[in-house]
Amino acid sequence: MSCVDVDFKMTEKLLNNVSVDGYGKIYFSSNEDLKTIFSNFDFKDKDVLTVAGSGDQAFYSYNDDAKKVDLFDKNKLTIYYYYLRKWIISYYDMFYPELLLNN
């Protein structure tokens, strides 16, 4: 079974409220007011290290012209959510994909 297959199976378990080590639900968005927080910092041409989480911090960093953004997260599923959000931003010009996603 490939890593993607394992991740898919673990996601199914999470959706059914089964606890799985190394995985957790991914929150749709940050619970902080990132627009206000990020307005207090200058990210232009800087390297940024941030938690992957919902991807909000990374996309705000890119939006504020960060030179490079590195992500880390304990949850193995965040990378898939990051690329899904990146795709939605690229093809639908939407930051929050509430109209395109459910569970």
Side-chain angles (χ1 to χ4, degrees):
M1 189 178 292
S2 74
C3 292
V4 173
D5 291 330
V6 170
D7 289 343
F8 181 76
K9 294 289 184 195
M10 297 304 109
T11 302
E12 284 183 319
K13 287 182 179 183
L14 288 171
L15 291 172
N16 290 315
N17 293 317
V18 176
S19 179
V20 182
D21 287 339
Y23 295 84
K25 289 190 176 182
I26 300 169
Y27 292 95
F28 175 71
S29 64
S30 176
N31 60 358
E32 296 92 4
D33 179 8
L34 293 181
K35 186 174 186 176
T36 300
I37 293 169
F38 274 61
S39 71
N40 291 296
F41 299 94
D42 178 19
F43 291 94
K44 186 172 179 64
D45 297 324
K46 301 222 171 83
D47 293 342
V48 175
L49 173 65
T50 187
V51 66
S54 66
D56 286 358
Q57 293 89 336
F59 290 115
Y60 268 95
S61 299
Y62 285 126
N63 188 60
D64 289 349
D65 298 320
K67 178 173 71 172
K68 178 182 170 188
V69 179
D70 288 316
L71 304 174
F72 68 95
D73 205 296
K74 176 185 172 195
N75 188 339
K76 300 173 187 178
L77 301 175
T78 57
I79 191 68
Y80 299 113
Y81 192 69
Y82 169 84
Y83 281 113
L84 177 61
R85 295 231 7 228
K86 182 179 176 186
W87 179 80
I88 289 170
I89 290 168
S90 297
Y91 289 97
Y92 290 96
D93 198 27
M94 298 171 75
F95 191 76
Y96 292 111
E98 63 265 1
L99 301 176
L100 301 172
L101 300 176
N102 63 26
N103 281 335

